């Protein structure tokens, strides 16, 4: 049984629990943050206004909580917490679940799903929680490894009545072939009545589990309904895949989170690409319901409407965040709408009930110049309004020329890649994708003013290269030759052709693996996964031995072949002719992007008119000389973003998200930077805001760990100086 540690504040905690039956806002001015990203509509907003434009400069650290389980250079904290009845629930660097006094940051209890063995069993990050029930029956749900845990809020213990003694195997309902494949739930789903509706993450290479959307009974853990995102050949959508797609393909999963219209009973599900993400010669067709916004009946899982935002995705253009539910004025009428941001920095806006696009969407022809065996879809859907909130193409005119040295490097680098319009297919030379593989829009999501029809979104503007590697086939002479082929199919996209990724410092260097890690540990990592690395339990027998021979520098001669048919080490239908060369940011050794600044922005978009109202750089690479920015009219460089903004009725946008380690506050109406404070580490998470005892707090997880930045275990909460709130309260 996983361990649970409690501090001696039991009596005080019980008093706090008595508040669980209250509404999110109370007469005292208290207000909860009751769901992932604030509410079921993923608004990332709050009506709190105690902190406003006039006093935000006085913000100070109210409390800091440290969980004590950061792993330098590897761990992250991406969690957006829940705040219920004066208690904050969040997760740590080691995926422990904790409860804090939301006013003081004092620890109430900690639940460890790995029983102290995260180093052996840890699997990535957690971005948030779900809650179901009230009072003593309140339970918290979150994914850790390949299990969904149900933990009692009153004492931090697993609920023995849920599934298997408090946790559910996330392979449930995915079919027999998925049982030994990688499945985790980094991002929470939604709770509708007594249902937990959930997506999950799968491997991006083959074999990969299917992306089936599932609903479970919130009390018992039974599977209630499922929606197959890779449809059978004889149902609608099946004609867009090969006839045997369900038997051998995977992905088309919803890893980014969901939104719920509770009144109408509609759940909105954004899905990602099918595996393998960068070559689809074995899945000819448009591949519905991958890369699709689905509207499902929350009670039954029946499809109400859908819209596919990318056809036959070979660019990893997953829908990256939950959609936002809001009301807009369209053609002189108020319309309940759903807005979906994309990695390509577009916003698709639909009537929430009918699925009708509120602005025209054009099917535009795209390049068909692809590697042999690939069949790109001839057109891609592009919304006519609003305009994209990040640049769409790298050209000779927008290269980084801040200095003569940078200009020379940029021109030489640009000459070595294929740069075309959006949806230029991946190539052996390397095709530029802008915004890059991480967006554009990303999992941090957008903040929505649900009544005014405004959307606020931060974006990265880092160009990446999509470079394919042709996996060699034919005879092999040594076990390491066979292992190299397995490495190319499953490891190369992260660790590089030569077992080293020069563009991503967070990826472990495997060139001297034997000197750093015992072979037994590497075998365990391959079987179970850890951090960003998925598990590969299907690599077994000679295939696993050969891969280890390659990684550990052993070259064992293969015996002479008995006949000339076939080749050693074939993985059968799992074999693909191409792999992706290591994820490649187009940046120099100092991390300066190939494109001119800004390299990250925060934008306000009026969805009533389809206009960008303002856009400003967010984040700053302070080593860049300010004089070099003057020709661009910039005061800050902007930086890549991981984590989204939060909007308050005090007229403010709070956002961290960048490696410069600041939490910042912007004027909602103008984009003016009003305040910022340096965190203990980069805050790659979406903040939350709440009020306890009439005092408004803004809290963010500062876990670092991405982009080569230091890892941390800190949660930091800010508030105005501790005095009576100004008249009117929060």
């Amino acid at each position: 049984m996983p361990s649970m540690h409690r501090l001696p504040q039991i009596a005080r905690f019980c008093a706090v629990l008595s508040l669980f039956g209250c509404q999110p806002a109370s007469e005292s001015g208290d207000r909860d943050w009751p769901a992932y990203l604030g509410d079921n509509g993923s608004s990332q907003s709050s009506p709190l206004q105690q902190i406003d434009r006039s006093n935000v400069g006085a913000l100070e650290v109210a409390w800091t909580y440290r969980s004590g389980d950061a792993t330098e250079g590897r761990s992250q904290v991406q969690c957006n917490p829940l705040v219920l009845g004066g208690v904050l629930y969040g997760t740590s660097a080691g995926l422990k679940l904790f409860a804090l006094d939301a006013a003081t940051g004092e620890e109430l209890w900690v639940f460890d799903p790995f029983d102290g063995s995260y180093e052996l069993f840890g699997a990535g990050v957690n971005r948030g929680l779900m809650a179901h029930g009230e009072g003593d029956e309140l339970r918290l749900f979150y994914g850790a490894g390949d299990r969904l845990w149900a933990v009692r809020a009153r004492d931090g213990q697993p609920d023995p009545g849920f599934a298997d003694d408090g946790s559910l195997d996330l392979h449930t309902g995915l079919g027999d072939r998925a049982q030994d494949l990688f499945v985790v739930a980094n991002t929470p789903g939604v709770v509708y009545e007594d249902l937990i509706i959930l997506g999950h993450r799968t491997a991006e290479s083959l074999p990969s589990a299917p992306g089936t959307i599932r609903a479970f009974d919130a009390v018992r853990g039974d599977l209630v309904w499922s929606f197959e995102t890779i449809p059978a050949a004889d149902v609608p959508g099946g004609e867009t895949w090969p006839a045997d797609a369900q038997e051998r393909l995977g992905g088309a999963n919803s890893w980014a989170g969901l939104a719920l219209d509770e009144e109408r009973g509609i759940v909105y599900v954004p899905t990602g690409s099918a595996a393998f993400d960068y070559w689809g010669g074995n899945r000819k067709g448009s591949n519905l319901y991958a890369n699709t916004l689905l509207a499902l009946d929350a009670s039954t899982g029946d499809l109400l409407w859908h819209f596919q935002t990318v056809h036959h995705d070979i660019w990893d253009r997953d829908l990256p965040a939950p959609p936002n539910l809001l009301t807009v004025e369209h053609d002189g009428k108020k319309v309940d709408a759903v807005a979906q941001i994309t990695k390509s920095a577009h916003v698709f806006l639909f009537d929430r009930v009918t699925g009708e696009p509120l602005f025209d969407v054009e099917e535009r022809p795209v390049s068909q110049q692809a590697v042999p065996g690939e069949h790109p879809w001839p057109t891609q859907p592009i919304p006519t309004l609003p305009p994209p909130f990040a640049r769409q193409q790298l050209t000779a005119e927008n290269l980084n020329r801040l200095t003569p040295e940078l200009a020379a490097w940029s021109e030489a680098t640009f000459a070595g890649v294929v740069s075309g319009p959006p949806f230029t297919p991946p190539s052996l030379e390397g095709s530029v994708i802008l915004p890059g593989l991480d967006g554009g829009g990303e999992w941090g999501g957008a903040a929505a003013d649900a009544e005014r029809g405004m959307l606020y979104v931060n974006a990265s503007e880092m160009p990446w290269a999509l470079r394919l590697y042709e996996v060699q086939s034919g005879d092999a002479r040594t076990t390491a030759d066979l292992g190299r082929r397995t490495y190319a199919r499953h490891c190369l996209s992260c660790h590089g052709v030569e077992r080293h990724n020069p563009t991503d410092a967070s990826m472990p260097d495997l060139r001297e693996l034997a000197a750093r890690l015992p072979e037994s540990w590497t075998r365990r990592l391959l079987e179970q996964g850890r951090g960003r690395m998925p598990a590969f339990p299907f690599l077994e027998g000679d295939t696993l031995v050969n891969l280890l021979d390659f990684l550990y520098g052993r070259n064992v001669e293969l015996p002479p072949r008995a006949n000339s048919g076939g080749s050693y080490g074939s993985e059968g239908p799992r074999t693909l002719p191409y792999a992706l060369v290591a994820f490649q940011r187009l940046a120099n050794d100092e991390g300066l992007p190939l494109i001119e600044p800004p390299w990250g922005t925060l934008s306000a978009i009026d969805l009533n008119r389809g206009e960008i109202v303002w856009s400003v750089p967010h984040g700053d690479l302070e080593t860049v000389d300010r004089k070099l920015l003057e020709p661009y009219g910039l005061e800050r460089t902007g930086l890549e973003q991981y984590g989204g903004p939060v909007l308050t009725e005090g007229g403010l946008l709070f956002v961290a998200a960048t490696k410069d380690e600041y939490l910042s506050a912007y004027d909602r109406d103008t984009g003016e930077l009003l305040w910022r404070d340096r965190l203990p580490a980069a805050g790659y998470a979406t903040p939350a805001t709440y009020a306890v005892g009439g005092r408004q707090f803004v809290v963010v997880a500062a876990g670092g760990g991405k982009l080569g930045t230091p890892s941390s275990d800190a949660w930091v909460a800010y508030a105005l100086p501790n005095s009576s709130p100004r008249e009117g309260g929060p």
Side-chain angles (χ1 to χ4, degrees):
M1 172 66 65
S3 64
M4 190 280 296
H5 169 64
R6 300 184 73 188
L7 292 182
Q9 292 107 354
I10 305 300
R12 184 175 177 194
F13 181 43
C14 290
V16 171
L17 279 174
S18 67
L19 299 174
F20 279 155
C22 296
Q23 296 299 315
S26 68
E27 293 181 2
S28 68
D30 290 2
R31 180 166 288 271
D32 291 344
W33 189 262
Y36 179 57
L37 303 180
D39 52 45
N40 285 333
S42 301
S43 73
Q44 299 180 204
S45 67
S46 170
L48 291 172
Q49 52 186 305
Q50 184 181 95
I51 304 169
D52 61 21
R53 299 177 181 92
S54 69
N55 59 26
V56 65
L59 280 181
E60 61 184 18
V61 174
W63 55 259
T64 300
Y65 170 72
R66 291 186 177 273
S67 58
D69 57 357
T71 304
E72 183 51 52
R74 291 208 307 273
S75 67
Q76 304 173 39
V77 188
Q78 297 181 359
C79 182
N80 177 259
L82 301 184
V83 181
L84 297 165
V87 180
L88 182 146
Y89 302 98
T91 54
S92 73
L95 298 191
K96 298 172 185 175
L97 175 64
F98 57 75
L100 309 178
D101 183 315
T104 67
E106 293 181 74
E107 185 180 280
L108 303 175
W109 53 253
V110 175
F111 166 73
D112 182 357
F114 303 110
D115 200 17
S117 300
Y118 176 75
E119 280 300 300
L120 298 181
F121 302 109
V125 297
N126 168 266
R127 295 189 178 126
L129 317 168
M130 297 172 285
H132 177 267
E134 296 181 348
D136 284 351
E137 300 304 315
L138 178 66
R139 289 166 306 143
L140 308 162
F141 296 87
Y142 83 115
D146 62 358
R147 304 198 73 82
L148 179 72
W149 287 90
V151 178
R152 296 186 307 222
R154 67 175 184 266
D155 59 9
Q157 291 281 18
D159 178 0
F162 180 78
D164 183 14
D165 201 26
S167 71
L168 171 73
D169 185 343
L170 286 168
H171 296 88
T172 301
L174 296 182
D176 291 343
R177 75 176 183 88
Q179 298 309 302
D180 67 342
L181 299 180
F182 174 74
V183 177
V184 296
N186 298 131
T187 308
V190 294
V191 175
Y192 175 67
E193 296 180 345
D194 287 330
L195 294 178
I196 297 168
I197 306 173
L198 194 66
H200 57 276
R201 178 187 166 201
T202 67
E204 295 187 348
S205 60
L206 290 177
S208 176
T212 306
I213 311 304
R214 294 162 293 167
F216 298 96
D217 184 288
V219 178
R220 300 184 303 274
D222 300 331
L223 180 65
V224 177
W225 60 253
S226 60
F227 178 86
E228 294 180 333
T229 58
I230 301 177
D234 59 350
V235 302
E239 73 281 0
T240 69
W241 299 82
D244 61 347
Q246 280 196 339
E247 301 170 16
R248 59 181 176 83
L249 298 175
N253 55 302
S254 183
W255 59 264
L258 318 176
L260 173 69
D261 185 329
E262 192 162 9
E263 181 179 347
R264 293 184 172 95
I266 303 175
V267 61
Y268 300 91
V269 182
T271 67
S273 56
F276 168 56
D277 286 27
Y278 308 100
W279 184 82
N282 61 346
R283 51 178 170 87
K284 187 176 180 180
S286 61
N287 304 151
L288 204 63
Y289 299 97
N291 306 88
T292 298
L293 182 60
L294 300 164
L296 305 179
D297 184 310
S299 296
T300 65
D302 292 339
L303 179 63
L304 302 177
W305 60 262
H306 68 275
F307 189 94
Q308 189 174 49
T309 59
V310 179
H311 309 312
H312 188 81
D313 186 10
I314 51 176
W315 304 272
D316 194 20
R317 285 311 201 196
D318 301 336
L319 288 177
N324 301 95
L325 304 188
L326 70 172
T327 300
V328 299
E329 186 171 327
H330 186 75
D331 290 339
K333 297 182 293 186
K334 290 287 187 179
V335 178
D336 288 344
V338 54
Q340 177 67 61
I341 66 169
T342 70
K343 284 186 179 180
S344 61
H346 292 97
V347 181
F348 287 85
L349 186 68
F350 306 99
D351 182 298
R352 201 186 304 174
V353 177
T354 68
E356 185 72 20
L358 297 185
F359 296 113
D360 289 343
V361 178
E362 296 178 349
E363 287 285 344
R364 296 181 184 173
V366 296
S367 172
Q368 302 295 291
Q369 300 300 310
V371 294
E374 182 57 86
H375 304 279
W377 198 255
T379 63
Q380 294 295 341
I382 305 295
T384 56
L385 291 174
F389 52 85
R391 288 166 288 185
Q392 298 291 291
Q393 184 174 350
L394 183 69
T395 68
E397 286 69 38
N398 61 20
L399 295 178
N400 186 343
R401 292 189 171 88
L402 288 177
T403 66
E405 294 78 13
L406 275 170
W409 169 82
S410 294
E411 291 166 3
T413 303
F414 185 68
V417 294
V418 176
S419 185
F423 297 105
T424 295
S427 63
L428 298 177
E429 300 81 10
S431 298
V432 176
I433 182 168
L434 180 74
L437 292 181
D438 284 356
E442 246 294 341
W443 53 260
D449 188 324
E451 298 303 318
R452 297 183 180 93
M454 293 291 296
L455 199 69
Y456 303 88
V457 59
N458 53 329
S460 299
E461 299 211 21
M462 172 72 77
W464 294 48
L466 281 175
R467 189 187 308 272
L468 294 178
Y469 175 86
E470 192 167 7
V471 179
Q472 298 300 311
S473 59
D475 291 340
R477 296 181 181 276
T478 70
T479 56
D481 290 340
L482 296 177
R484 180 185 292 274
R485 296 178 193 169
T486 301
Y487 173 89
R489 294 179 182 118
H490 302 294
C491 314
L492 185 146
S493 62
C494 290
H495 297 285
V497 176
E498 301 301 329
R499 293 176 287 173
H500 167 60
N501 185 345
T503 70
D504 190 343
S506 69
M507 290 294 178
D509 188 333
L510 303 183
R511 290 176 296 185
E512 303 295 334
L513 188 61
R516 295 190 295 105
L517 203 61
E519 186 172 328
S520 60
W521 277 72
T522 301
R523 183 186 289 263
R524 179 178 290 160
L525 286 172
L526 288 165
E527 292 171 348
Q528 299 175 344
R530 186 175 71 185
R532 293 168 62 185
M533 176 179 164
F536 299 96
F538 55 85
L539 296 178
E540 54 190 7
D542 288 344
T543 302
L544 176 59
V545 171
N546 296 337
L547 175 59
L548 291 169
D549 282 353
F550 170 68
L551 293 173
Y552 282 83
R554 295 189 293 265
N555 278 283
V556 180
E557 291 288 333
L558 293 167
R561 295 260 302 282
N563 56 66
S564 59
S567 62
Y568 281 105
S570 171
E571 294 179 42
R574 295 170 176 169
T575 300
L576 293 171
Y578 299 98
L580 180 73
V581 175
F583 297 119
Q584 294 183 312
R585 288 176 170 84
L586 291 173
N588 70 1
D589 292 341
E590 286 75 44
L592 294 170
L594 186 59
I595 198 169
E596 65 187 11
W599 301 315
T601 59
L602 177 65
S603 299
I605 305 173
D606 185 339
L607 293 181
N608 303 293
R609 301 193 303 269
E611 297 176 355
I612 295 179
V613 178
W614 53 257
S615 183
V616 297
H618 173 58
D620 191 24
L621 192 61
E622 295 172 336
T623 56
V624 172
D625 188 335
R626 301 299 95 174
K627 292 182 180 179
L628 298 176
L629 300 178
E630 290 177 0
Y632 301 95
L634 300 175
E635 296 181 359
R636 299 180 300 281
T637 63
L639 291 170
E640 287 183 87
Q641 325 257 326
Y642 294 93
V646 161
L647 172 69
T648 75
E649 195 56 32
L652 301 172
L653 286 160
F654 289 96
V655 59
T658 51
K659 68 179 182 179
D660 58 3
E661 301 181 341
Y662 284 101
L663 175 66
S664 300
Y666 291 85
D667 187 307
R668 173 188 67 188
D669 296 332
T670 66
E672 179 186 357
L673 178 63
L674 300 177
W675 168 88
R676 66 176 186 165
D677 190 59
R678 193 178 292 274
L679 298 163
Y684 301 126
T686 300
T689 186
Y690 60 92
V692 177
R695 191 182 190 199
Q696 182 183 354
F697 296 82
V698 178
V699 66
V700 67
K706 291 187 75 70
L707 302 173
T709 56
S711 294
S712 176
D713 59 354
W715 283 73
V716 185
Y718 290 87
L720 296 174
N722 197 3
S723 58
S724 299
R726 67 181 179 86
E727 186 175 352

